[in-house]
Amino acid sequence: MSSNHSDFLNIIYCQPKAPEKEKDPLSERPPYSYMAMIQFAINSKKNRHMTLKEIYNWIEDHFPYFRNVAKPGWKNSIRHNLSLHDMFVRETSPDGKISYWTIRPEANRCLTLDQVYKPLVDTVTPTCPQIPQVGFNKQQKRGPPELKKAIPPTGGTERKMKPLLPRTDSYLVPIQLPLGQSLFLPSSSPATLATPPHAPSSSTPSSSGAIKRVRIAPKVSQMMLCASTSQDIKEEPVSVSVTPEALPSKTRQQENSSSRRKQRLVLPATEEPVLLYPDSTLFDSGVVSDVSTFQDTHDPEPEPSCKPDPDSPNREYTFKTPIKSSHPSSSTPSKLPAVLEPWRITPVRKGGVLDFSPIRTPSGPQLTPQRHEHTPFSFNSTPFKELPLFSSPRELLTCSRPSPRRSNATCSRELLQEGATNRSLTEGLVLDTMNDSLSKILVDISFPNLEDDDLGMANISWSQFIPELK
Amino acid sequence: MSSNHSDFLNIIYCQPKAPEKEKDPLSERPPYSYMAMIQFAINSKKNRHMTLKEIYNWIEDHFPYFRNVAKPGWKNSIRHNLSLHDMFVRETSPDGKISYWTIRPEANRCLTLDQVYKPLVDTVTPTCPQIPQVGFNKQQKRGPPELKKAIPPTGGTERKMKPLLPRTDSYLVPIQLPLGQSLFLPSSSPATLATPPHAPSSSTPSSSGAIKRVRIAPKVSQMMLCASTSQDIKEEPVSVSVTPEALPSKTRQQENSSSRRKQRLVLPATEEPVLLYPDSTLFDSGVVSDVSTFQDTHDPEPEPSCKPDPDSPNREYTFKTPIKSSHPSSSTPSKLPAVLEPWRITPVRKGGVLDFSPIRTPSGPQLTPQRHEHTPFSFNSTPFKELPLFSSPRELLTCSRPSPRRSNATCSRELLQEGATNRSLTEGLVLDTMNDSLSKILVDISFPNLEDDDLGMANISWSQFIPELK
DNA sequence: AGGATGTTTATAAACATTGGA
DNA sequence: ACTCCAATGTTTATAAACATC
Ligand SMILES: [Mg+2]
Ligand SMILES: [Mg+2]
């Protein structure tokens, strides 16, 4: 667990095999979910909308990992996320030619990368991942072991990234502490692989096989600021005020709680959901004021960071030119029964390289990726979920048109401030009808005394200082 | 392609290896998505709600596949679907003890299994899946090749299943033809593996490797009846009336169209979404009248079929008892780094059996499933998407409480009839805010002359007889 | 301590549409 | 005008991490 020294360990464990790939600290997988990164990307544009291609580029530019090590399937994931989360909406240019992706304003928390970038990398941590853990062997995914690609120090990603607080969804609690560094660095922190943050906590150290789990990203994605709104009412609405001093030693863990949240709660049966909760005086608890680095207040104008800032012809037009080929193989992974000579035979075990190789043979090759092994076997536990999103119920109640203003309200003021405003009955039905948006509480707790490295196994449980959370 | 005879072929290709498992026609994977099956299950109960366990049981009882061949991970998928789709809502019993899953009434199309069961199996088709296709070899998933479980002819699944119309989401078009058998039988039809329904259509027959794709279920799940509602307005709302005689020969394919649907459409930029569309006279086009087998009209009472019909203590209480163990390995697949001696070493290549083996070693064993091969490489095309759902905008406009009635409106009357009622501006914003529900057009086209078997490669394209669809 | 139940994120993949070559 | 294909979209399937009870 003693961080650092990882350099040494790396040398030992990282067989000269596999020509780097992950080695470059800049090419480490960022601790953000695709949903979060897409938001970073889109919000970096003043127009607040981007074409798919621009999103790809923005992400590659800011997170070398995707350009250098990620499998081509990452683009499929981006598309998947755009479609899946209704927070992302596709619009079409007036001329119907191009279509961009935007963030539903009512749901836009205006997450931007610079908000999570750590001002400075004060720690001495070599930022070298891999933990001593036993084998640290193969098994993970690793893109094909080839194509170095001369990782250009492309602008961004210099500062250490501050991961979004994982699993943060505690309701109604716009918390914001002193603001320090990161609380927990999922993927890059050497402690990550040490022991599953939570894990069975029992036979954990049993055998060997540090498989390098894929570390599921925070889950948040649309937090980081304030904006609460009960939503999914009926469940003990609590207002809390965190006292950082109280926390024991755990660093990461559950941020929310209350019986697997996300539910539409009971109702003795066909009963009318009688909204019953404090109403207001709930959202002002958090600190949310000293939000230094946060810039959301008014007109979500430009973006301090994000030098590239596409929009300029250039990126968009690398289009048809097969030149830009960061990675050869194309997006959507497929497994067409037929057509697969190209690779097929080569049992490219571990890291199947795929860059410089044959330029996409016309009829999508794609060797059947050697299906997993199929042999689950394991036993685990369970968790909770987020909440629907909504488009300002007040307006609906007013029987007026949905978006009186909207032009320059890119970062929905509601989400950021309308904390404990009037919430009515309709919410019970309206709110839990929508998706990813509200209900996500923006919590950005930072404990100055905790550095990214010394987060071995620390666990912070809201319930520890928030009794109301049951 | 020529169906039947598959028995023979099966004998030839199915090496005495793998002790059956898929052999049993009753244990073939049903052509329904998890979402659809969950609806079947829940709607089979008069109360319209089920506990997770009941859902598991109902599905196992009606689709032997899950009890006999599916990997234990299928339960994880069920849970995943319950959480993911907000159509499914978890409620808690008054006493807060148990929690059941229900279907949001506004979104419940009252799909029931008997609605898709074919009255009789008139065809001579041995119902034997596997097509002659080349290897038909391994690679797929196959649960561990053991544990026969003495497949009890447990009630259901006698009649041939009629798959939901795949990819049916054409907007505003409540179509309903004569009503015959199935249009296309995704997984059981011998034609399925023959050639990718659509596919590149070029080098298709190149090499070999019938990998047995996983056949993505229809997508519909909540169609089958009527209920339209434009939703996601702004896109050419068309009312059509299909004329079955016109169809060329294709049997399956795109049901919807119009530029990758699901979008929030343009707006010259910060423009107000000026709802502009015919309004009404759109939904009454379809036949929707001669809905013989459909029983949704009034009180969604019992269910003709579904003999089991849980609810009776018995199923619910197999709970804590570890006896019911249909399948050993448990639900959520995991991959805990440590703890993995049991298998680990054994490079269980192809069909890693795992049933009779060591009874779950406490701390979830789980050999790292031999990650795929990682080397996508392929090129494919793309499609479209569904639409948000909503909870009756009219009510919201009326500024009244969301669900005036609700008790006995289990199968939302709106979804079934309110076709072209008053839709207002709010919809533009409200509607596309919600999820899986409306926007799914219930189309159940049946062409008496088409039998499940003779659907070799036929493709039906809406655009062929629905010019408006562009 | 461990299993059942829930919630989310990650990936792969099937399949659909569309614009360009 | 046309076919073919890659890019773009939409969904479903699975695995898995992680959380609660
Ligand atoms: Mg979307
Ligand atoms: Mg749900």
Side-chain angles (χ1 to χ4, degrees), chain B residues 53 80 83 99 101 213 215-216 254 256 259 380-383:
Chain B
K53 197 144 315 228
H80 170 71
S83 286
S99 69
W101 285 96
R213 341 251 284 287
R215 293 238 58 104
I216 281 189
Q254 63 292 73
N256 64 76
S259 95
N380 59 344
S381 24
T382 12

Side-chain angles (χ1 to χ4, degrees), chain A residues 284-319:
Chain A
D284 42 301
S285 60
V287 190
V288 202
S289 41
D290 59 352
V291 204
S292 37
T293 31
F294 302 156
Q295 50 54 270
D296 61 287
T297 341
H298 330 299
D299 258 87
E301 251 307 59
E303 258 278 318
S305 55
C306 313
K307 318 82 185 175
D309 192 349
D311 211 15
S312 56
N314 177 353
R315 260 293 148 42
E316 288 74 299
Y317 305 123
T318 19
F319 256 48

Side-chain angles (χ1 to χ4, degrees), chain A residues 74-94:
Chain A
W74 77 272
K75 289 186 177 178
N76 182 18
S77 293
I78 291 294
R79 296 197 301 281
H80 170 72
N81 272 266
L82 286 169
S83 286
L84 180 64
H85 304 290
D86 37 62
M87 142 184 259
F88 302 118
V89 183
R90 180 166 61 94
E91 299 193 337
T92 305
S93 61

Side-chain angles (χ1 to χ4, degrees), chain B residues 256-267:
Chain B
N256 64 76
S257 64
S258 259
S259 95
R260 305 200 197 77
R261 262 307 164 21
K262 160 81 172 288
Q263 114 177 122
R264 192 190 200 166
L265 194 52
V266 184
L267 306 182

Side-chain angles (χ1 to χ4, degrees), chain A residues 29 34 71 76 202 217 219 260-262 333 335 380-386:
Chain A
R29 179 170 187 137
Y34 287 113
K71 290 188 294 181
N76 182 18
S202 59
K219 162 192 179 177
R260 306 197 195 84
R261 260 304 159 25
K262 160 80 172 288
K335 179 172 49 178
N380 60 344
S381 25
T382 12
F384 100 6
K385 176 179 175 183
E386 81 165 352

